[in-house]
Amino acid sequence: MAPISTPQTPFGRVLTAMITPFTADGALDLDGAQQLAVHLVDAGNDGLVVNGTTGESPTTTDAEKNDLVRAVLEAVGDRAHVVAGIGTNDTRHTLELARQAERTGAHGLLAVTPYYNKPPQEGLYRHFTAIADATGLPVMLYDIPGRTGVPIDTETLVRLAEHPRIVANKDAKGDLAAASWAIARSGLAWYSGDDMLNLPLLSVGAAGFVSVVGHVVAPELRAMLEAHTAGDVQKATEIHQKLLPVYTGMFRTQGVITTKGALNLRGLPAGPLRLPLVELTAEETARLKIDLAAGGVQL
């Protein structure tokens, strides 16, 4: 049975965009994925996104994606929302992945804006609507123009929100003014997709986070969210400021690279990366240790 969701928090409140552990030879590490999923939920996550960008989805096969969703569901599906990343820049392929995720039992879908081919807003509308029509699962849009080259305009978000299965947006646009209007007008459940803006987005109506740093500071993220919800803005701000070195350090280079580096330092399942991503250098690892220590992370 899937965890309980509400219209305001359809996928929980503190989610981590989970890395995909690999073995030393670069194969999918399903045992490691299950161990990591349990660790993340025990640490305070009530949702996990698998097969997102942080899960190295550009370099995993459709079969590997399916195996990963199944493994994570077996490990934590009764305790946490398991959301499957299914977005590609090919609508037909995306629909195949969406149906595959539904068959496997995913609780929801994360659909990123099609990248590289730069569709117009009408193309985005039809793409996302086709995804929502393809399964019975709730859909979280993912708006990250820095990666995709195309933003989801507020007017498009408002149109998409009319679909009964498009229920949320992961916002990595970095535009608080646009977010404020889109939250107010669309009624979508809003999730911060930019860790540095987790607290600011809560202040304009976000429901929670889809975090990368949740791999290492999930308890702090939950404490910050609960403080804000309780009206203790000072405490929430103090936690936000404490986490600034972590937010900065985990994105000095590509986030998957630093996350796997941090998890490997902590003895948690992660393993190597697949090209074109590369391991942290010795200098980058030393800098990451400093950043994490400054944010209170024990290695």
Side-chain angles (χ1 to χ4, degrees):
M1 179 180 293
I4 296 172
S5 65
T6 71
Q8 294 76 32
T9 58
F11 304 108
R13 301 197 72 184
V14 179
L15 296 86
T16 287
M18 196 177 106
I19 60 107
T20 299
F22 296 131
T23 61
D25 62 358
L28 190 63
D29 180 5
L30 292 175
D31 288 341
Q34 291 188 319
Q35 293 171 36
L36 180 60
V38 169
H39 167 80
L40 292 173
V41 174
D42 288 346
N45 288 284
D46 53 9
L48 297 174
V49 174
V50 296
N51 296 324
T53 314
T54 307
E56 294 180 74
S57 59
T59 52
T60 57
T61 67
D62 291 3
E64 287 175 327
K65 289 178 172 64
N66 195 46
D67 289 344
L68 186 64
V69 170
R70 181 180 290 110
V72 172
L73 281 165
E74 288 175 358
V76 298
D78 59 339
R79 296 197 291 145
H81 301 266
V82 178
V83 181
I86 49 84
T88 76
N89 61 349
D90 172 356
T91 303
R92 286 185 296 177
H93 185 200
T94 301
L95 300 186
E96 291 171 7
L97 291 174
R99 294 180 182 119
Q100 171 180 276
E102 182 180 43
R103 288 193 299 270
T104 304
H107 302 145
L109 306 174
L110 178 74
V112 72
T113 310
Y115 39 84
Y116 188 70
N117 38 14
K118 299 186 79 170
Q121 293 299 307
E122 181 62 23
L124 297 185
Y125 176 78
R126 295 188 195 182
H127 173 82
F128 289 127
T129 301
I131 295 168
D133 286 342
T135 81
L137 295 177
V139 176
M140 181 189 298
L141 308 173
Y142 183 13
D143 185 12
I144 181 165
R147 284 186 185 274
T148 65
V150 178
I152 310 175
D153 289 348
T154 298
E155 296 299 330
T156 306
L157 287 164
V158 171
R159 286 179 73 198
L160 288 167
E162 295 172 2
H163 196 292
R165 283 187 294 280
I166 296 177
V167 298
N169 183 51
K170 177 185 175 186
D171 180 8
K173 191 179 281 177
D175 186 337
L176 289 169
S180 298
W181 274 112
I183 292 168
R185 293 186 56 210
S186 72
L188 291 170
W190 213 259
Y191 290 85
S192 171
D194 183 346
D195 277 308
M196 187 63 85
L197 295 183
N198 284 345
L199 182 57
L201 279 165
L202 287 181
S203 74
V204 297
F209 324 126
V210 178
S211 175
V212 173
V213 304
H215 284 92
V216 293
V217 291
E220 291 83 353
L221 292 179
R222 179 158 290 284
M224 182 174 71
L225 186 148
E226 290 176 351
H228 182 272
T229 302
D232 192 343
V233 176
Q234 180 176 343
K235 181 179 178 182
T237 302
E238 289 171 356
I239 297 171
H240 168 75
Q241 291 176 350
K242 176 189 174 185
L243 292 176
L244 290 175
V246 180
Y247 293 157
T248 298
M250 291 286 281
F251 293 98
R252 288 188 188 276
T253 184
Q254 208 271 2
V256 184
I257 296 173
T258 47
T259 301
K260 283 199 164 180
L263 292 174
N264 284 323
L265 286 170
R266 301 187 86 186
L268 290 163
L273 299 110
R274 289 182 178 175
L275 285 170
L277 301 183
V278 295
E279 321 297 324
L280 290 173
T281 65
E283 292 78 12
E284 288 170 332
T285 299
R287 178 72 250 188
L288 179 61
K289 289 179 179 178
I290 293 169
D291 291 327
L292 293 177
V297 177
Q298 301 296 316
L299 296 175

